Amino acid sequence: MKNRTLIKNGLLFSGCQDEKAKIQDILILENGEIGNIGIIEADEEAHIIDANGKWVVPGFVDSHTHYDAELIASPGLKESARHGVTSIILGSCSVSAIYNSPEDISDSFTRVEAIPRDIMLPLLQKEKTWTNAKEWKAYISKLPLGINVASFVGHSDLRMHAMGIERSLQDNETATKEEQDHMLHMLNEALDAGFIGLSTMDNPWDKMDGNRYWSHKTPSFYSSWKERKNLIELLRKRDAILQGAPNLVTRINAINYMLASSGVFRKPLKTTMIAMMDLIGDRYIYPLISTASKAINTIANANFRMQSPPCPFTVYYDGVDSVMFEEFPSGEAMRHLAKNLDERNDLIRDPEFREAFKKEIKKKFAPKVWHKDLSKTLIIDCPDSSMIGKNFYDLAEEQQQHPVDFFLDTIIQYDKKIRWTTTIANDRVEKYDNLYNHKHNLISFSDAGAHLNNMAFYNFPLKMIKVVQESIDAGKPIMSMEKCIWRLTKEQADWFGLDCGHLKPGKIADLVIIDPNKFDAITETVETGQIEEFNNYDRLVNRNQGTVSRVMVGGKTIFENENFVSDYATTKKYGRFLEKQ
């Protein structure tokens, strides 16, 4: 059996933006490390992979995922792996699956991240043996991992455990000194185990699931910044990372994250916040956040990064079953009554409710993520087939109705049986130059593993590569391809302190072989796939037939010619838990 692998004749991108790509060979040793890069003679002891005409790049890094539940059931994380993502980060947005009971964890995850509770809860009840970060890491490390995993610890997870779930969800209820010390101990314990930092959340959209605390916000929302101070200072002291999201309704407390990162008369704190996008409904927010992030890094010596998806941010809705409706009071009221459709429909029929909905949906200057423009919608499925391919605004005009009345009547009639889509951000390709080159953002925020029927950005690195290549071909390059690959790999790995994203001798060979002649296969189209281990639960997926020729993790092929290897995520382990360096 040949124990070494030699990749021949590929155009090699090392992951360094200042190293020009060139045709080279890569020798991968039996232990999965890169032994040599250059012009290497083939020998009979090596398995040869011919990469002629193709690109060899480091495996991509996805630094914002919610794979915490899927990892347990399906440790291959196939929908990321098939697109060349070889390293991901769990535990985002204040929720992690570490310290609390299966029911408490499921209630904090499943509504806000749109993960089926009737799957996640039994899965945790069956599998959860860990009680702390070290044990969770040990559990992950024993799984037949397909790709590499790093993790934050969630602030809501800590707060629920320290205070008890009921007290953690109360307004004006502050953790006691003993409870704050307990949270500090748990965070310190997680950092000792190699976790990369703490994720928190201030967005009021994020609501609890289950029957006990339905529609309460997640625990970190109720935590003051004064209560968090010791946690933040521990992160600063230990060179760890704070990840968070501001209140997306008021947005004012985004300033807290920027100021926390400040390094004036102290060490800067690595801080990353979601998300910098060119919002259709709020065009001023992108230049404002862009300018503010530059200013805080330049003037206040911060180490602050936004997160940016590099492609149109398109979402899909089943009726009003989407977190986007949480951002305005009328939508929030409908979502609150989702478990009782009779009550919800009575509310929707109420003339006063309709008037409030109309006022809220047409507010031009209110901060908003969803543009709330019913003419920018597309109905893609409905029992009334005549509605498919049209938008709510035009259909309302045909019926001589107010668009909101038509929309709400449709929700009463069809509920989740009407499926529609809209793009809410990053619709203007001409803005990508600034977005891609912004020094103080990270190209990420896929939310992989969450919102399974609402969006799919698993192939975001390939989408960015395609856009950059098209700009190069047109003679108006957004950036060099070397910089593009760096932004998707080594830049993020270095910033998060992870040993990945770089091809050089001595490094573990996590890499992707890409066919640049198949970039036309990279589109905005989504398809429906299934998570076999989630009882074949439907999810939106991306496909780019033939673009990714091969994916290797730990020096071994996991994906080739649109197929995973036979022992993938079952009997053999390829990935590893990535500790913060």
Side-chain angles (χ1 to χ4, degrees):
M1 181 178 177
K2 296 181 178 180
N3 294 321
R4 296 185 296 169
T5 300
L6 182 60
I7 302 174
K8 295 283 292 179
N9 306 315
L11 182 64
L12 177 70
F13 293 82
S14 70
C16 295
Q17 65 170 327
D18 56 354
E19 288 184 10
K20 185 71 175 174
K22 57 185 177 180
I23 295 175
Q24 296 188 92
D25 307 328
I26 306 178
L27 179 65
I28 302 171
L29 305 177
E30 183 178 359
N31 65 1
E33 289 185 0
I34 296 173
N36 197 10
I37 295 176
I39 305 304
I40 303 170
E41 291 294 325
D43 64 61
E44 60 183 21
E45 297 299 320
H47 170 64
I48 307 298
I49 297 173
D50 186 4
N52 186 46
K54 297 175 182 175
W55 297 357
V56 181
V57 306
F60 304 122
V61 178
D62 187 347
S63 60
H64 193 111
T65 82
H66 291 281
Y67 273 132
D68 308 61
E70 188 174 334
L71 177 73
I72 300 169
S74 183
L77 306 180
K78 289 182 178 180
E79 287 309 322
S80 289
R82 72 185 305 123
H83 303 296
V85 173
T86 59
S87 299
I88 61 97
I89 299 177
L90 307 170
S92 301
C93 298
S94 91
V95 287
S96 56
I98 304 172
Y99 288 101
N100 290 279
S101 71
E103 186 176 19
D104 291 354
I105 291 170
S106 296
D107 285 359
S108 68
F109 256 97
T110 51
R111 178 173 170 180
V112 63
E113 301 304 343
I115 299 169
R117 187 177 187 273
D118 59 353
I119 292 175
M120 184 172 185
L121 177 55
L123 178 66
L124 286 172
Q125 289 171 331
K126 177 184 176 183
E127 292 290 332
K128 190 174 188 298
T129 56
W130 58 91
T131 59
N132 56 49
K134 183 178 179 181
E135 291 173 357
W136 173 228
K137 173 190 169 183
Y139 176 86
I140 292 173
S141 297
K142 289 179 181 178
L143 293 172
L145 294 175
I147 58 179
N148 308 317
V149 174
S151 185
F152 286 102
V153 60
H155 185 199
S156 287
D157 200 4
L158 299 183
R159 200 167 193 264
M160 277 194 294
H161 193 261
M163 298 177 68
I165 187 169
E166 185 169 1
R167 285 191 60 241
S168 77
L169 298 174
Q170 301 301 316
D171 284 315
N172 303 316
E173 190 74 52
T174 299
T176 65
K177 174 68 165 57
E178 292 75 17
E179 289 164 347
Q180 291 181 40
D181 288 345
H182 186 34
M183 284 188 265
L184 197 67
H185 169 76
M186 287 185 284
L187 176 57
N188 206 43
E189 174 185 71
L191 298 179
D192 285 344
F195 283 62
I196 62 176
L198 178 75
S199 72
T200 189
M201 172 59 66
D202 289 285
N203 189 19
W205 300 3
D206 289 26
K207 303 285 181 64
M208 298 291 286
D209 205 340
N211 295 319
R212 301 172 301 161
Y213 305 104
W214 175 257
S215 286
H216 283 71
K217 300 168 183 67
T218 48
S220 68
F221 176 85
Y222 299 96
S223 171
S224 69
W225 279 76
K226 181 179 179 181
E227 182 188 294
R228 304 177 202 188
K229 181 180 178 182
N230 288 341
L231 298 175
I232 290 171
E233 291 312 309
L234 177 62
L235 296 173
R236 192 187 311 276
K237 177 181 178 181
R238 298 201 55 177
D239 296 315
I241 299 164
L242 175 67
Q243 181 224 63
N247 185 319
L248 293 177
V249 177
T250 65
R251 298 177 181 164
I252 294 172
N253 77 330
I255 296 170
N256 290 337
Y257 287 94
M258 293 184 181
L259 293 179
S261 183
S262 166
V264 176
F265 305 119
R266 63 184 182 183
K267 181 191 297 184
L269 171 66
K270 281 188 175 181
T271 305
T272 177
M273 187 175 77
I274 60 171
M276 187 160 70
M277 296 190 284
D278 178 25
L279 293 168
I280 292 173
D282 208 350
R283 292 298 194 190
Y284 78 87
I285 196 64
Y286 172 73
L288 181 62
I289 289 293
S290 173
T291 300
S293 58
K294 289 177 182 176
I296 197 69
N297 282 288
T298 303
I299 298 171
N301 190 35
N303 194 346
F304 178 81
R305 298 291 183 273
M306 292 298 297
Q307 296 174 33
S308 297
C311 53
F313 202 84
T314 300
V315 292
Y316 296 79
Y317 302 79
D318 295 310
V320 293
D321 187 23
S322 168
V323 71
M324 296 298 177
F325 281 88
E326 301 281 6
E327 75 170 334
F328 61 107
S330 298
E332 189 177 25
M334 286 195 299
R335 289 268 290 168
H336 177 65
L337 294 175
K339 292 185 176 184
N340 190 325
L341 292 186
D342 288 339
E343 283 189 32
R344 189 204 67 180
N345 290 344
D346 285 344
L347 175 72
I348 293 175
R349 292 187 185 99
D350 187 322
E352 290 186 8
F353 171 84
R354 292 195 173 212
E355 285 306 307
F357 196 104
K358 290 171 184 176
K359 289 178 181 178
E360 290 163 12
I361 202 171
K362 72 178 183 180
K363 283 184 178 178
K364 289 186 178 180
F365 301 108
K368 52 185 174 288
V369 174
W370 174 34
H371 49 69
K372 303 180 184 67
D373 184 343
L374 295 175
S375 72
K376 296 183 184 297
T377 60
L378 178 68
I379 298 169
I380 56 178
D381 195 19
C382 183
D384 181 353
S385 60
S386 68
M387 295 173 63
I388 297 173
K390 299 180 180 179
N391 67 67
F392 290 109
Y393 186 90
D394 288 345
L395 286 167
E397 284 206 325
E398 289 177 14
Q399 299 297 320
Q400 297 184 331
Q401 276 188 279
H402 190 285
V404 168
D405 288 323
F406 180 84
F407 174 75
L408 294 176
D409 287 344
T410 301
I411 296 304
I412 292 174
Q413 184 174 5
Y414 297 118
D415 190 34
K416 295 181 183 180
K417 293 180 181 178
I418 185 162
R419 186 160 174 79
W420 53 284
T421 182
T422 189
T423 297
I424 64 173
N426 292 352
D427 58 313
R428 301 186 293 183
V429 177
E430 63 270 22
K431 298 295 182 180
Y432 285 8
D433 190 331
N434 183 270
L435 187 74
Y436 288 9
N437 283 292
H438 198 290
K439 182 179 179 181
H440 304 296
N441 77 343
L442 300 168
I443 305 297
S444 192
F445 188 54
S446 76
D447 253 5
H451 307 287
L452 301 177
N453 286 299
N454 303 122
M455 57 194 191
F457 304 110
Y458 300 97
N459 66 344
F460 74 89
L462 299 175
K463 289 181 177 180
M464 181 176 176
I465 289 170
K466 180 183 179 182
V467 171
V468 170
Q469 186 59 50
E470 287 176 344
S471 75
I472 292 171
D473 292 342
K476 298 179 179 179
I478 290 175
M479 58 175 54
S480 69
M481 188 54 68
E482 287 81 1
K483 182 177 180 180
C484 175
I485 300 298
W486 169 73
R487 298 227 70 180
L488 294 166
T489 58
K490 189 175 184 296
E491 180 190 30
Q492 291 197 68
D494 289 349
W495 196 83
F496 285 102
L498 302 176
D499 187 16
C500 60
H502 189 192
L503 299 181
K504 74 171 187 177
K507 291 288 186 181
I508 298 293
D510 303 324
L511 60 83
V512 190
I513 301 178
I514 297 172
D515 188 344
N517 297 308
K518 299 291 180 66
F519 283 174
D520 286 347
I522 306 168
T523 70
E524 294 301 318
T525 302
V526 297
E527 301 178 16
T528 300
Q530 286 77 39
I531 308 176
E532 182 181 346
E533 298 85 355
F534 275 16
N535 301 326
N536 292 317
Y537 188 85
D538 283 346
R539 65 137 43 110
L540 295 180
V541 299
N542 311 112
R543 292 291 180 266
N544 19 255
Q545 188 76 22
T547 307
V548 174
S549 298
R550 186 184 298 261
V551 181
M552 301 181 75
V553 176
K556 306 296 181 184
T557 295
I558 63 167
F559 182 79
E560 180 183 8
N561 298 327
E562 301 300 322
N563 290 298
F564 287 94
V565 294
S566 60
D567 59 1
Y568 186 70
T570 55
T571 60
K572 187 171 181 179
K573 179 180 175 182
Y574 293 89
R576 60 200 187 277
F577 188 93
L578 295 174
E579 296 187 13
K580 187 178 181 301
Q581 301 297 297

